[in-house]
Amino acid sequence: MEGGLVLLGGGGGGGGSGSGGGSSGVSTNESAVSKVEVVSEASSYPAESELELGLGLSLGGSGGATGKTKVGTSSWGECGRILTAKDFPSVVSHRANNGGPSVSVSGTKRAAESVSHEGGSPTGVSSQVVGWPPIRAYRMNSLVNQAKAPRAEDDGIGEKDKAKDSFKKKPYNGNKINSAVNEKGHLGFVKVNMDGIPIGRKVDLNAHSCYESLAQALEDMFLRSAPTINSIGAEKEQVTKPSKLLDGSSEFVLTYEDKEGDWMLVGDVPWRMFLSSVRRLRIMRTSEANGLAPRFHDRNERQRSKPI
Amino acid sequence: MQKKMAYSFPDEVLEHVFSFIQSDKDRNAVSMVCKSWYEIERWCRRKIFIGNCYAVSPRIMIRRFPEIRSVELKGKPHFADFNLVPEGWGGYILPWIVEMAGAYPWLEEIRLKRMVVTDESLELIAKSFKNFKVLVLSFCEGFSTDGLAAIAASCKNLKELDLRESEVDDLSGHWLSHFPETYTSLVSLNISCLGSDEVSFSALERLVGRCPNLRTLQLNRAVPLDKIATILRRAPQLVEFGTGTYAAELRPDVFSNLAGAFSSCKELRSLSGFWDVVPAYLPAIYSVCSRISSLNLSYATIQSHDLIKLVCHCPSLQRLLVLDYIEDSGLEALASSCKDLQELRVFPSDPFGAEPNVSLTEQGLVAVSLGCPKLQSVLYFCHQMTNSALVNIAQNRPNLTRFRLCIIAPRKPDYVTLEPLDVGFGAIVQHCKDLRRLSLSGLLTDRVFEYIGTYAKKLEMLSVAFAGDSDLGLHHVLSGCESLRKLEIRDCSFGDKALLANAAKLETMRSLWMSSCSVSFGACKLLGQKMPRLNVEVIDERGPPDSRPESCPVEKLYIYRSVAGPRFDMPPFVWTMDDEDSALRLS
């Protein structure tokens, strides 16, 4: 390309008329339709040229199957007017003001929203955003579990003292990772299945700080089909009414499988202890949960084979 | 009157010629030459790769290719790895198995990625395919050890069973015993993802002992260190080995037994596992290190100096996966010792810490880019970056084909100049002309997308998060990246305009994912109506999108081309926008 990248619109040709590339509609009270001219908004991007993007669908032509980036606005004309005002009776051309991410209910966004373009970097920002940093759950869980594993003493072969010293010097040690991870919100997603429902869900245990809120979230997820279903692992809990799942008044009871493979009633142990030992959850019919407290073996009574 | 070309070959000859053509691209090209070549080719195609299981239906595949022996399918979008795709979204393999059970009785190989595999599916595979040889399940879920037991019991010719990081329900450790005593054909076994109680060690030992062709064995974490020697002595021909937990009380007899066992493995080229590493046991592998080309230490929580010692013993290293404990100093050592290095992946040890816990910065990556002339593939998690470091890397390594940088804090600028990292990534795409895969992070404006659209002509996959200012950014990518196949975007302020203006582009791609962006429901509906060969799926856990204004942005959007039409196995929180006005399904 000569002279670097030339943006569509701006300088050349008949950009101003914008008759090509389809029309677009702006919803007004009178439902009058006019062409929308998109002006690149005030942002850190130096907008020497204004871009015109019609709201038309480009079928073939520029940017399509040929993949060629055409210079100038003539390419928009080649698309043809596929869409007319009739196609856009109520599409509103609307821009978020701050150029930041749109409001979303999935995942907590407070950290992301607080970051501006001024370049200040927030501290500890990534802890509350779903799926960020992008690390697979398998890897995260391995990391977490290793942090709790006891470290064998390094004596005998090797530089014993050096190793020990370096363990002390570095800020990392098993305990710190453990607590840092639990406090900052590691990937505490566990599977939840409910008797009678084939599709399981996942819940982020770190979005909760007590049994009540967890039970509330699970009730919302499984026992109510209201449109205000919270995204999994999303907003902080609102502890309001006592949960029926926990007090035995419901047809169902909340149980969990611990690290040893035993099924237990949820609520027996302190919350932190529960967090460190829970593997997955099951909403069980009360009729099947008889004899569950305090220890309960899975009803098929499978033999646990020792690995060695 | 049919004209016969005097010089055309008989079908059998053409078929024989085609049998040397293995790549899908070439096969597809061959099939488009003329009708008779299309016919011949479709009857002799044996391997098929379907990058999106919903792009085509089993019936369509079977109708065109009646003699398939090997199938590879991918299901969920990539961002499912990071919990962005809710449970129950889809990607079920069972319908495929059911159809193939009837049509392909001689099917030998099934490779799946991010699909839901049930025990029923596994049992059906075991029952239906008499010559079944290869089962690879990457990042799959939905099955238990019962399903594995069925495979073990029935698949007499099984060569490969690879469960790469799949989620397996722990029911019984005895499934391995279901391999009959007469079964000896195992070549590759990867059970590293299984939990603590899911393998009976004595059964494993016997299995390994009676399979002389075993080349790959990756154990799960539950297998203790002192059992490694036993296994290795039964399989000294191993080429790839993954340990279980690499920790034990330090005892000289155990150490020397282990070291001796490793040294008898003359063919060993790849090592992995190393959970809970006790550094003192690392020297046990030194005898094989000079031949090691692939080393996965990404679960090894050991310090930089131990990592440096190990890495310096591995001059033939081509592939290294490691935690950021390696630090800049370790990467510098790597750069001077391992001149054959092609792939480097550095994972964060403390991804949620506010402050970096280790001294790993942009300098480490610069050092490797300078010292390792064959470096092609990078995945790097770090806390800080500068434009000048990225420019250096780009200039040092124009042969990069995969560059994935994850600066852990979203929207973090160049920490020296406080500017966006547009120029740095721009240099990457400008210098690395063969770049096929790119993941962005840090503070980025629309300008970086301008660079990408201008220069990244070979780019096939782009991952974007917390970047850009306006639709212009998305427009640059969609209109400029000629080779783009997969685009995944999260938390960017891209909206309707660029998407609608480049709708045709979407048919040339495999898929587009957008979550937490500004695409309105109205635009999704429009796209679905106007583009019948695209499936436009809205994922929204707030309830039916038409219960909100049309201008309201959708939570998540997944668009993919398909010849199979809209799918019917969607959960209640997924809606397909399709051609009929009334097609919107209410929950």
Side-chain angles (χ1 to χ4, degrees), chain B residues 41-56:
Chain B
E41 195 281 320
R42 79 180 186 90
W43 279 95
C44 69
R45 191 177 306 206
R46 298 282 175 264
K47 254 182 110 150
I48 191 164
F49 167 75
I50 295 170
N52 173 7
C53 64
Y54 290 118
V56 70

Side-chain angles (χ1 to χ4, degrees), chain B residues 423-565:
Chain B
V423 166
F425 280 106
I428 294 279
V429 292
Q430 195 174 350
H431 290 271
C432 306
K433 301 202 190 311
D434 289 325
L435 195 70
R436 292 198 307 266
R437 184 166 178 185
L438 177 64
S439 300
L440 306 173
S441 58
L443 182 65
L444 297 164
T445 71
D446 285 345
R447 172 142 270 170
V448 72
F449 298 109
E450 187 185 336
Y451 290 130
I452 292 172
T454 308
Y455 294 110
K457 295 306 182 188
K458 299 268 180 75
L459 191 66
E460 296 178 7
M461 183 169 178
L462 178 64
S463 308
V464 184
F466 307 105
D469 310 311
S470 73
D471 274 38
L472 196 50
L474 181 56
H475 175 71
H476 284 310
V477 171
L478 289 176
S479 57
C481 296
E482 295 165 358
S483 312
L484 195 63
R485 292 189 297 114
K486 290 179 278 182
L487 179 57
E488 46 185 25
I489 301 172
R490 62 163 296 176
D491 294 275
C492 298
S493 55
F494 300 142
D496 300 343
K497 292 172 195 60
L499 198 57
L500 294 176
N502 291 284
K505 172 72 172 174
L506 298 178
E507 271 191 19
T508 70
M509 293 166 51
R510 182 189 296 174
S511 65
L512 167 65
W513 168 278
M514 292 179 75
S515 58
S516 306
C517 297
S518 308
V519 180
S520 73
F521 175 52
C524 295
K525 276 209 302 189
L526 189 59
L527 206 55
Q529 282 162 16
K530 296 300 171 190
M531 309 291 293
R533 288 184 303 214
L534 289 181
N535 279 359
V536 178
E537 291 185 9
V538 168
I539 301 169
D540 209 315
E541 290 181 281
R542 296 170 295 178
D546 61 355
S547 61
R548 290 180 292 279
E550 282 210 354
S551 57
C552 192
V554 299
E555 274 183 358
K556 298 169 187 177
L557 177 62
Y558 186 51
I559 302 174
Y560 56 91
R561 64 180 175 187
S562 174
V563 295

Side-chain angles (χ1 to χ4, degrees), chain B residues 183-293:
Chain B
Y183 168 75
T184 59
S185 38
L186 195 61
V187 173
S188 171
L189 181 65
N190 177 2
I191 51 172
S192 54
C193 62
L194 293 187
S196 29
D197 289 330
E198 284 159 21
V199 160
S200 148
F201 188 78
S202 55
L204 176 65
E205 222 181 317
R206 285 195 309 275
L207 179 64
V208 167
R210 66 177 184 269
C211 294
N213 298 320
L214 194 64
R215 292 279 172 277
T216 299
L217 178 63
Q218 281 148 340
L219 305 171
N220 63 329
R221 196 166 169 186
V223 178
L225 180 139
D226 55 8
K227 294 292 180 182
I228 294 178
T230 319
I231 289 279
L232 287 181
R233 289 196 199 283
R234 287 184 194 223
Q237 76 282 4
L238 282 178
V239 175
E240 287 183 55
F241 179 64
T243 75
T245 184
Y246 206 73
E249 210 180 286
L250 196 57
R251 285 171 35 197
D253 55 334
V254 173
F255 180 90
S256 58
N257 193 17
L258 186 60
F262 269 112
S263 65
S264 68
C265 296
K266 306 292 182 201
E267 310 297 323
L268 211 47
R269 296 289 175 272
S270 164
L271 288 173
S272 59
F274 297 108
W275 284 279
D276 319 305
V277 172
V278 163
Y281 272 112
L282 280 175
I285 68 172
Y286 283 175
S287 60
V288 296
C289 280
S290 62
R291 293 184 292 268
I292 291 292
S293 59

Side-chain angles (χ1 to χ4, degrees), chain A residues 206-283:
Chain A
N206 283 94
H208 304 278
S209 58
C210 66
Y211 287 116
E212 285 297 337
S213 93
L214 172 64
Q216 200 66 57
L218 291 178
E219 280 180 30
D220 285 342
M221 223 183 262
F222 285 95
L223 299 177
R224 293 174 203 143
S225 52
T228 55
I229 292 174
N230 289 327
S231 175
I232 299 166
E235 296 119 27
K236 287 293 186 197
E237 65 281 9
Q238 302 128 13
V239 182
T240 46
K241 37 192 161 63
S243 161
K244 293 196 292 205
L245 275 178
L246 291 181
D247 66 10
S249 69
S250 156
E251 185 199 328
F252 290 92
V253 74
L254 185 57
T255 64
Y256 72 101
E257 185 186 26
D258 70 5
K259 290 235 173 329
E260 275 131 41
D262 299 317
W263 286 89
M264 323 261 273
L265 269 185
V266 164
D268 282 349
V269 301
W271 174 254
R272 285 254 160 245
M273 195 183 298
F274 166 72
L275 274 191
S276 64
S277 61
V278 61
R279 246 209 280 191
R280 57 180 165 162
L281 297 167
R282 178 174 159 200
I283 302 174

Side-chain angles (χ1 to χ4, degrees), chain A residues 75-298:
Chain A
S75 54
W76 291 103
E78 285 158 31
C79 297
R81 298 185 66 127
I82 295 146
L83 301 170
T84 65
K86 291 196 277 272
D87 291 309
F88 302 85
S90 60
V91 172
V92 173
S93 168
H94 177 69
R95 272 254 151 260
N97 283 334
N98 58 1
S102 62
V103 172
S104 164
V105 296
S106 65
T108 49
K109 303 289 301 299
R110 61 186 81 88
E113 282 161 8
S114 68
V115 179
S116 68
H117 285 306
E118 278 110 48
S121 66
T123 57
V125 72
S126 50
S127 55
Q128 297 299 326
V129 179
V130 172
W132 190 267
I135 301 168
R136 257 186 234 119
Y138 176 78
R139 185 171 290 285
M140 279 305 316
N141 291 337
S142 280
L143 211 55
V144 170
N145 290 332
Q146 282 198 91
K148 297 174 194 167
R151 313 211 75 79
E153 278 294 278
D154 194 29
D155 52 349
I157 300 172
E159 302 97 333
K160 151 174 95 145
D161 292 322
K162 205 165 156 195
K164 277 190 180 155
D165 281 345
S166 70
F167 276 141
K168 285 182 200 143
K169 268 187 226 144
K170 307 276 181 187
Y172 127 86
N173 62 55
N175 288 337
K176 177 155 199 275
I177 286 183
N178 193 11
S179 62
V181 157
N182 274 334
E183 280 151 24
K184 301 283 188 217
H186 73 289
L187 204 67
F189 281 95
V190 293
K191 279 190 173 172
V192 192
N193 283 85
M194 176 161 164
D195 285 356
I197 295 183
I199 295 178
R201 305 293 295 267
K202 272 189 183 166
V203 64
D204 182 4
L205 291 181
N206 283 94
H208 304 278
S209 58
C210 66
Y211 287 116
E212 285 297 337
S213 93
L214 172 64
Q216 200 66 57
L218 291 178
E219 280 180 30
D220 285 342
M221 223 183 262
F222 285 95
L223 299 177
R224 293 174 203 143
S225 52
T228 55
I229 292 174
N230 289 327
S231 175
I232 299 166
E235 296 119 27
K236 287 293 186 197
E237 65 281 9
Q238 302 128 13
V239 182
T240 46
K241 37 192 161 63
S243 161
K244 293 196 292 205
L245 275 178
L246 291 181
D247 66 10
S249 69
S250 156
E251 185 199 328
F252 290 92
V253 74
L254 185 57
T255 64
Y256 72 101
E257 185 186 26
D258 70 5
K259 290 235 173 329
E260 275 131 41
D262 299 317
W263 286 89
M264 323 261 273
L265 269 185
V266 164
D268 282 349
V269 301
W271 174 254
R272 285 254 160 245
M273 195 183 298
F274 166 72
L275 274 191
S276 64
S277 61
V278 61
R279 246 209 280 191
R280 57 180 165 162
L281 297 167
R282 178 174 159 200
I283 302 174
M284 200 183 283
R285 289 203 177 86
T286 315
S287 51
E288 287 181 18
N290 283 329
L292 191 61
R295 284 220 152 242
F296 173 73
H297 288 282
D298 188 82

Side-chain angles (χ1 to χ4, degrees), chain B residues 414-427:
Chain B
D414 177 321
Y415 74 94
V416 171
T417 65
L418 297 185
E419 287 184 355
L421 291 172
D422 301 336
V423 166
F425 280 106

